Amino acid sequence: MQGEPDASSFPSGGLRATFEARGYTAWDPTSPVFLNRSGDTVTLCIPTAFVSWTGVALDKKTPLLRSMEVLSEQAMRILKIFGTDKGVSRVVTTLGAEQEYFLVDRNLYFARPDLLACDRTLFGAKPAKGQQLEDHYFGSIPARVLAYMAETERELYRLGVPIKTRHNEVAPGQFEVAPIFETTNVACDHQMLVMETLKKVAPRFGLQCILHEKPFAGINGSGKHNNWSLSTDLGQNLLDPKGETHNNLQFLVFMCAVIRAVDIYADVLRASIASASNDHRLGANEAPPAIMSIFLGDMLSDIVTQVEKGEAKRTLKGGTLVLGASSLPELPRDTGDRNRTSPFAFTGNKFEFRAVGSSQSSAWPNTVLNTMVAESLDFIATQLEKSLGKSPSPAKLNSEVRDLLKKIVKQHKRVIFNGDGYSKEWHHEAEFDRKMPHLRDSVDALPVFKAKKTADLFAKYKVLSRAETESRAVIFMEKYVKQIAIEAEVMVTMARTQFLPSALAHQTRLAEAIAAAEAAGVDVDSQRTALERYVGLVSAMTEATATLMAALEHHADDPFKHAKQVKEEVKPAMSALRSAVDALEGEVSDDLWPVPTYRDILFVK
Ligand code: ADP
Ligand code: MG
């Protein structure tokens, strides 16, 4: 089935001119149709791929489906080598995406032009109480929020989304929802429905749902943890290490393929989650750093060390925990702790890519992940097929696989890191000793999609043509520039039309009070000094506003050049203006301050 929508205004990253308008949609029969209800209107929605008249993929679904097919093909070669392919017709990747989000009272939301236009606050002084006490994280769910969550979940069940988990998150006003995992394509479509439903249901409870990665400075931002694994179509998880892991060579092959892929394509993986909004999160001591390392945990790290030495002889066990009170049960203990500072962590029977942004589609990072792992499986399968020949003995299979894994571990183990990903020492060690890429922000990261290495990878496996890859680079960079330009414009407007008038009204009040006191013959020297200091703060704000306006004047047509200018001139000018306004927030009379403060927005439940 085919549709023909207008594709003219859809971002194409230079693939087509605006007048070249024809586009096609193709039904994706692997993703269930659903009914979108709004009031009395019910719309039948059919997940589709979207391509231009020339056949290039404009969407995120087409490349994702291609990447899943490539991965299946390569993974099947591995199963064949181990003789475990019987009855298996394909391998799929699975995804369970945890979604973090904020809820704010809708009336307060409407009173903040920055939240309304940008989904984040561009101003706001730090409140006395933030998340220091962790009392929101470990507290109970507020009644209004719980009612909202339950209604959201009901709506999602009706859409066929298997939502399961709900809880408070670290920051005040922050929450999380997670589904049961599904095949990646369906999970990505369902993830879009999760975001849409979260937004749609909130107003019924007088709430606004915010999906931005960093709506508030000084407290944690939101991510979308991407739990990813490989499974046969019979449901066997290929990343399940099972009992005696050191003898589970097939698992070790899949694990080492991921290790190799993340090491070689760390920069592409990093770039797949780059955006203006996620820049606020990565490396900001609350979210994983922008260095793509892998956490394996004690048991697997021990096995990897054994593999590198040549012979893996043991699997560490977690044992049990005795709690010391006879009424409490003995707890089975996992073989290793968890690590929330790692961007890419093994969590028992899957990898959790924790650096994905809360507002982004899951499709793109999974396309990248699938393709790079497919390349790794291809490499391993090719090596083994060559060295094993036809019908090798089990002993030969065993020794050839162990030899190859030994080499892979030796070459790529630098990517494994089990320590504190937030620490400065690690950033230094990763960058200077291990020579791992550290692409701090989108301006550093997005050009990776223009590099030959990246285009070669996608082209080799026919996930994206060279032109399609290049177009993604342009689209993402353009979006980066536009998003920050909008924010900067909103800042200028708020500064000029809201903060400056309030600040001047307060200034007048102070000046008049001092003049009146003076007229009454009272000594007002210290107040006059305070007024002078205050006037200085107001001037600092007007100067910072002018500087930002000047920075916005510049224009380079090439989005990559423009982005550099945004990073070097616009963003610092935005920070300066924010500091100036936030300083005034602590001075201006509460009744004159024109917008709700963090204290109001974060704590009205
Ligand atoms: P946590 O917050 O402790 O990481 P959650 O329960 O919030 O755990 O999220 C874990 C996610 O991982 C869920 O969406 C779950 O369905 C998903 N998951 C579990 N097993 C797999 C798997 N084999 N492949 C992909 N995702 C998985
Ligand atoms: Mg979770």
Side-chain angles (χ1 to χ4, degrees), residues 321-331:
L321 285 177
V322 179
L323 303 185
S326 60
S327 55
L328 295 174
E330 273 188 16
L331 297 180

Side-chain angles (χ1 to χ4, degrees), residues 188-205:
C188 286
D189 286 349
H190 281 169
Q191 216 296 303
M192 298 304 285
L193 287 175
V194 168
M195 291 196 284
E196 180 161 323
T197 307
L198 283 170
K199 286 255 181 209
K200 197 166 93 177
V201 174
R204 292 180 209 162
F205 296 85

Side-chain angles (χ1 to χ4, degrees), residues 98 165 167 169 176 178 225:
E98 304 165 57
T165 304
H167 58 82
E169 256 304 325
E176 179 185 301
H225 299 168

Side-chain angles (χ1 to χ4, degrees), residues 193-335:
L193 287 175
V194 168
M195 291 196 284
E196 180 161 323
T197 307
L198 283 170
K199 286 255 181 209
K200 197 166 93 177
V201 174
R204 292 180 209 162
F205 296 85
L207 295 166
Q208 179 68 31
C209 172
I210 296 178
L211 297 175
H212 193 285
E213 280 76 0
K214 190 73 180 179
F216 303 100
I219 60 170
N220 276 37
S222 299
K224 175 145 48 207
H225 299 168
N226 195 93
N227 296 275
W228 175 94
S229 191
L230 295 154
S231 164
T232 66
D233 58 346
L234 303 178
Q236 190 204 355
N237 183 350
L238 298 173
L239 286 176
D240 187 343
K242 302 223 184 73
E244 298 300 318
T245 309
H246 63 285
N247 285 327
N248 187 348
L249 282 189
Q250 181 178 297
F251 164 79
L252 293 178
V253 162
F254 281 106
M255 182 189 70
C256 287
V258 176
I259 293 173
R260 180 183 171 279
V262 174
D263 185 33
I264 297 180
Y265 297 106
D267 53 349
V268 194
L269 191 63
R270 161 68 184 95
S272 77
I273 47 153
S275 69
S277 45
N278 214 16
D279 279 357
H280 295 287
R281 239 181 109 235
L282 301 181
N285 245 24
E286 53 157 273
I291 304 163
M292 297 294 113
S293 64
I294 298 182
F295 169 82
L296 285 183
D298 295 343
M299 185 271 277
L300 284 187
S301 296
D302 178 57
I303 287 183
V304 165
T305 311
Q306 296 179 61
V307 166
E308 192 192 356
K309 288 197 183 120
E311 194 63 37
K313 293 208 177 81
R314 58 150 199 229
T315 299
L316 294 181
K317 301 285 179 207
T320 51
L321 285 177
V322 179
L323 303 185
S326 60
S327 55
L328 295 174
E330 273 188 16
L331 297 180
R333 200 171 74 125
D334 285 292
T335 52

Side-chain angles (χ1 to χ4, degrees), residues 94-96 98 165 176 178-181 227 229 237 338 350 352:
T94 49
L95 165 66
E98 304 165 57
T165 304
E176 179 185 301
I180 296 173
F181 69 94
N227 296 275
S229 191
N237 183 350
R338 305 233 296 183
K350 58 184 161 45
E352 182 176 3

Side-chain angles (χ1 to χ4, degrees), residues 546-601:
T547 309
L548 180 54
M549 286 167 74
L552 281 169
E553 297 275 297
H554 288 266
H555 273 300
D557 280 343
D558 174 55
F560 290 85
K561 283 193 193 130
H562 194 172
K564 253 190 134 86
Q565 187 262 337
V566 163
K567 174 181 166 174
E568 283 159 16
E569 291 173 36
V570 178
K571 286 196 75 174
M574 287 167 72
S575 311
L577 177 53
R578 178 179 186 139
S579 305
V581 171
D582 290 358
L584 280 171
E585 190 186 311
E587 303 272 339
V588 172
S589 173
D590 202 37
D591 64 303
L592 292 175
W593 196 248
V595 295
T597 63
Y598 274 23
R599 187 186 57 207
D600 312 314
I601 306 172

